[in-house]
Amino acid sequence: MTLIGAGTVVIDGQICRPGWVQTTGRRIVDCGAGMPAGPVDVAFPDCVVVPGFIDMHVHGGGGASYTEGNAGDVARAAEFHLRHGTTTTLASLVTATPAEMLSAVGALAEETRRGTVAGIHLEGPYLNPARCGAHDHTRLRAPDLAEIDAVLAAADGTVRMVTLAPELPGSTEAIRRFLDAGVVVAVGHTDASYEQTQRAIALGATVGTHLFNAMPPLDHRVPGPALALLADPRVTVEIIADGVHVHPAMVHAVIEAATPERVAVVTDAIAAAGCGDGAFRLGTVPVDVESGVVRVHQTSTIAGSTATMDQLFRNVAGFRPDPDAALTAAVQVTSATPARALRLECVGNLRAGFAANLVVLDQDLGVVAVMANGVWRAGTTDT
């Protein structure tokens, strides 16, 4: 049993100063405001304790990628992001051939069972070539039910989300098939109209993949998918809050308009995260990193990011002048909202019975320590 005390703890969305969390094994057994009843095992008097971050859209980091499902690479990427506070990772795959996709899904299914990642996000191949972004346009294709069934069989329940373009032929049947399998359907990399997006939502799509990126911009006469996603209370919108993909003022406006309960910030990070500038690959596509920005080689097309969730937490926390409102909003969009969007149980909050996943932040919101499933995995615990 471990009793953790801190100057500030965000418990179930409420700021407690001071606060405490008690863990046993992999679970939180109790938590509360004020001073704990007994002596603490680990004290962080000048720090903030928040739930572990949940990244529902990430392709890799620390020089390693989830793309091929290689066990060593998966562990290396997940460990890199863990050091930055991400205790729950959905491994995102890019568009690949049918054989490559089946191989990667099968390998990542095994890593999900091992607990290295929390599941698989299929970003493609059912995307619109007109909005392919950094995906290999030669491998994009319309949904095929036989292929979908093969992928679902290989995944054995580990595919948690799929991003697709609802205007493609066969998308209606694909959405239904994925939903029947318990997979969250996201709209993204799409040229869909406002009305087509509304129909996808009516069918059961509940996530907008990296809002504004790889979709038509908002227009007052042709509002497109972005407004349809923002306007529907059933939809959670991802947003890459790195200051590159979306202007900070727009990120702030989205969080204020949709509320933090409907916004999940994501990194969309690739293997280059944490590696500095240079040449990398995203699947088969060569990309270059310059000043921390990833672009498809010799183009202006942004290709994922080098961001980490702690960086995005700090960015969101800086949007509001009220520090308490800023802190609770940052916690919501980095933990509770993605957990709800993915229908993940017992993560995303500091609450009795939930997984003992937490991040200790200093006064500048830098990571001091990380606990995942009751084990200190990064930083110092002798503060």
Side-chain angles (χ1 to χ4, degrees):
M1 187 173 290
T2 302
L3 182 57
I4 304 161
T8 302
V9 184
V10 183
I11 298 174
D12 204 11
Q14 301 298 311
I15 297 175
C16 303
R17 294 190 178 96
W20 54 275
V21 179
Q22 190 169 39
T23 69
T24 296
R26 299 167 62 91
R27 295 285 169 179
I28 296 170
V29 293
D30 205 358
C31 50
M35 300 299 295
V40 299
D41 299 297
V42 188
F44 298 100
D46 300 316
C47 292
V48 181
V49 176
V50 300
F53 306 140
I54 299 172
D55 194 350
M56 58 191 285
H57 190 154
V58 53
H59 298 279
S65 174
Y66 298 125
T67 301
E68 296 177 357
N70 176 276
D73 287 344
V74 173
R76 183 177 165 193
E79 180 67 25
F80 167 79
H81 285 289
L82 181 68
R83 294 197 300 272
H84 291 273
T86 300
T87 55
T88 303
T89 294
L90 204 61
S92 298
L93 293 176
V94 292
T95 296
T97 66
E100 290 168 341
M101 181 167 63
L102 282 172
S103 175
V105 165
L108 283 171
E110 181 60 31
E111 292 307 307
T112 302
R113 288 187 282 269
R114 289 177 181 168
T116 312
V117 295
I120 303 166
H121 165 213
L122 300 174
E123 191 182 18
Y126 314 124
L127 311 177
N128 193 319
R131 301 287 176 177
C132 64
H135 288 256
D136 185 342
H137 67 92
T138 67
R139 298 183 173 192
L140 297 176
R141 48 197 181 271
D144 176 83
L145 293 184
E147 180 180 77
I148 291 171
D149 286 342
V151 168
L152 293 172
D156 191 24
T158 60
V159 171
R160 287 203 167 267
M161 186 167 74
V162 60
T163 294
L164 54 76
E167 69 275 21
L168 295 180
S171 63
T172 295
E173 294 78 8
I175 290 171
R176 289 174 174 150
R177 186 65 58 90
F178 280 119
L179 291 174
D180 287 345
V183 177
V184 173
V185 174
V187 173
H189 285 274
T190 177
D191 221 20
S193 67
Y194 179 82
E195 292 77 16
Q196 287 172 320
T197 307
Q198 284 185 312
R199 285 195 288 272
I201 296 168
L203 285 168
T206 54
V207 171
T209 293
H210 46 49
L211 188 72
F212 303 126
N213 298 120
M215 62 179 65
L218 281 169
D219 183 277
H220 63 291
R221 290 194 179 94
V222 186
L227 185 60
L229 294 165
L230 274 171
D232 198 300
R234 295 170 290 184
V235 176
T236 299
V237 292
E238 294 182 352
I239 199 157
I240 308 171
D242 62 351
V244 175
H245 285 76
V246 182
H247 192 284
M250 182 63 83
V251 175
H252 177 58
V254 167
I255 293 173
E256 291 298 306
T259 76
E261 287 71 22
R262 288 188 50 222
V263 178
V265 299
V266 298
T267 63
D268 199 10
I270 69 168
C275 297
D277 291 355
F280 298 87
R281 299 188 78 82
L282 179 58
T284 61
V285 177
V287 300
D288 299 314
V289 180
E290 184 176 346
S291 299
V293 179
V294 190
R295 299 186 188 277
V296 175
H297 183 59
Q298 294 185 335
T299 77
S300 61
T301 301
I302 298 174
S305 86
T306 59
T308 53
M309 286 296 286
D310 59 326
Q311 173 192 340
L312 304 188
F313 185 98
R314 288 189 292 273
N315 288 350
V316 173
F319 288 150
R320 292 182 173 183
D322 179 346
D324 284 359
L327 179 60
T328 56
V331 167
Q332 182 72 37
V333 301
T334 58
S335 56
T337 296
R340 180 189 52 76
L342 295 173
R343 301 195 290 269
L344 295 172
E345 296 182 353
C346 296
V347 294
N349 262 308
L350 300 183
R351 184 187 299 174
F354 274 46
N357 296 339
L358 57 86
V359 184
V360 183
L361 303 170
D362 61 24
Q363 292 181 340
D364 295 321
L365 303 182
V367 174
V368 172
V370 181
M371 175 181 278
N373 292 314
V375 178
W376 292 109
R377 295 290 303 278
T380 177
T381 59
D382 57 359
T383 301

